Amino acid sequence: MWPNAVAHALSRFEWAFEQPGRYLNASEVYSPGLEVEDARDDLEWAMLHLPPGAKRDLGRLLARIDEEFERRTLPEPNNIEWTMAGWWWTRMRER
């Protein structure tokens, strides 16, 4: 990963969760081509390579991020093939 990759991924979630509304808006992205699902991929990858203490700390943050992401998205049954990429890719945002 590149320097500050975890901080950058966390900032994408912070930005998304600050947006108004019950559901995350699919038409609003942090930056073109950089969805929060991509940020979640980056955090998952970081979890595989962090030392134990940092992994525990990030894991606590991820649990809260995942809970909020799941609360603000809906299941997308047509994207079930994305499950292997990460459960967060099987969720949809409001258009």
Side-chain angles (χ1 to χ4, degrees):
M1 295 189 87
W2 60 95
N4 298 315
V6 170
H8 182 70
L10 292 172
S11 73
R12 285 193 266 171
F13 276 102
E14 182 179 23
W15 179 87
F17 292 160
E18 286 176 350
Q19 302 309 307
R22 163 66 170 90
Y23 296 106
L24 295 179
N25 187 335
S27 64
E28 293 181 13
V29 296
Y30 179 80
S31 181
L34 297 176
E35 305 289 342
V36 291
E37 293 86 355
D38 294 314
R40 185 59 180 81
D41 286 344
D42 293 344
L43 294 173
E44 190 69 16
W45 194 86
M47 286 290 288
L48 297 173
H49 301 284
L50 287 172
K55 184 181 284 193
R56 277 190 304 277
D57 291 343
L58 182 57
R60 283 191 290 272
L61 282 173
L62 274 178
R64 294 187 355 225
I65 286 169
D66 289 348
E67 182 180 313
E68 182 66 4
F69 185 74
E70 190 169 13
R71 186 183 77 77
R72 295 188 66 182
T73 58
L74 298 168
E76 172 54 270
N78 295 325
N79 283 351
I80 200 69
E81 70 273 2
W82 284 94
T83 303
M84 292 188 62
W87 67 266
W88 47 93
W89 287 103
T90 67
R91 308 290 296 177
M92 70 176 169
R93 293 179 272 152
E94 195 171 61
R95 295 222 181 257

